Amino acid sequence: MKVKKKAILMSTSILIAGALAIYWFYFSKPAPLPDEDQMMKEINELLPKAAAGEIQEVILVDDKHAVAPFKSKEGTYSVSNWIWKHHKWKLGTVRTAGEPKIWKIDPDDPSSYRIIWNINPAEDSIHTLSYFFMRDRYYSISGTKHRYDPSIQMKTEVLLQEHPYGVMKLPDDWTAVMEALDDGDSGEGSSFFNDFNIQPHVSFGWIPLDENGEGRLPERVVNGSGYQNGNVEEVHMRLLNLEEVE
């Protein structure tokens, strides 16, 4: 009986220790982010072309997601995204071009989406960044069923001199419309968020403008190298022409 009790106690102890280890590994409170020197070291190890030389700021999105815009040793303005996973802060994305992109932190929740950018404030005399959520007019026929989707165009703007880099939550009216679109599709066996990337008539876009409201083509902003692991989902923001918006 004593041997049996010891075996039971040992098994119980192992189960408790295992449960504590799992909790510690997956659910414990995130540790502080690496210091800036360590961040630059990890960036340069994963993407040597980044040549990180200065972290401009570390911006917490929430307790498990962060963005660290940085400058390279050559003066390039770049972006790195960080995630807390498996009890460690890890690089999710590094890109040497700081063009705006959407980070879908929770792909099913548009309120978690963030516009991420880092642009030299002297780049081609850019004064304003105009961001758009758009849906083109769309008409389709499937059997006897006809469907018409009216166009949608929503805009928000950022002054580059005040915000050369940033992590911006989508405007509330954008997320409200996106959620309404998802509700409208839910009865048809598809999800707006699951199908977002393959719907040609729905997109995010941006236009860089000078002081006179004229569009600019910032080549150094959109051409670069990048690294991305499977834990980060970014959405491309299409560079638009003024003729494409109302």
Side-chain angles (χ1 to χ4, degrees), residues 113-117 131 156-158 166-171 174:
Y113 296 5
R114 298 293 186 272
I115 302 176
I116 314 292
W117 74 93
Y131 298 137
T156 187
E157 292 187 332
V158 172
V167 179
M168 189 176 80
K169 184 178 183 291
L170 297 190
W174 289 25

Side-chain angles (χ1 to χ4, degrees), residues 151-171:
S151 65
I152 296 173
Q153 183 180 116
M154 310 183 81
K155 181 177 77 170
T156 187
E157 292 187 332
V158 172
L159 296 179
L160 186 65
Q161 296 299 322
E162 296 179 7
H163 303 284
Y165 60 82
V167 179
M168 189 176 80
K169 184 178 183 291
L170 297 190

Side-chain angles (χ1 to χ4, degrees), residues 141-244:
I141 302 174
S142 178
T144 60
K145 186 175 182 180
H146 295 243
R147 174 170 175 169
Y148 173 74
D149 296 327
S151 65
I152 296 173
Q153 183 180 116
M154 310 183 81
K155 181 177 77 170
T156 187
E157 292 187 332
V158 172
L159 296 179
L160 186 65
Q161 296 299 322
E162 296 179 7
H163 303 284
Y165 60 82
V167 179
M168 189 176 80
K169 184 178 183 291
L170 297 190
D172 291 341
D173 54 347
W174 289 25
T175 59
V177 169
M178 293 165 71
E179 289 169 350
L181 289 173
D182 188 49
D183 289 341
D185 285 342
S186 61
E188 300 177 13
S190 64
S191 167
F192 170 79
F193 303 115
N194 291 337
D195 294 346
F196 185 88
N197 290 325
I198 61 173
Q199 291 191 34
H201 58 296
V202 181
S203 63
F204 291 111
W206 71 294
I207 303 178
L209 303 170
D210 64 17
E211 287 185 317
N212 299 317
E214 298 294 327
R216 289 284 182 171
L217 179 61
E219 294 183 5
R220 287 174 291 179
V221 175
V222 298
N223 297 318
S225 303
Y227 159 88
Q228 182 173 338
N229 69 26
N231 299 311
V232 172
E233 186 171 349
E234 280 192 324
V235 172
H236 175 70
M237 297 189 74
R238 189 161 58 93
L239 186 60
L240 303 168
N241 297 315
L242 284 172
E243 293 75 18
E244 296 180 77

Side-chain angles (χ1 to χ4, degrees), residues 44-91:
N44 292 332
E45 286 176 350
L46 284 171
L47 188 66
K49 288 183 179 180
E54 176 192 347
I55 300 291
Q56 294 161 272
E57 187 178 351
V58 178
I59 305 168
L60 277 173
V61 180
D62 56 36
D63 60 347
K64 294 184 178 180
H65 301 86
V67 177
F70 67 94
K71 296 180 187 177
S72 75
K73 295 172 184 177
E74 290 77 31
T76 302
Y77 285 64
S78 310
V79 172
S80 64
N81 296 350
W82 297 76
I83 58 173
W84 173 263
K85 188 168 185 178
H86 296 165
H87 208 72
K88 184 178 180 180
W89 281 103
K90 298 181 179 182
L91 264 175

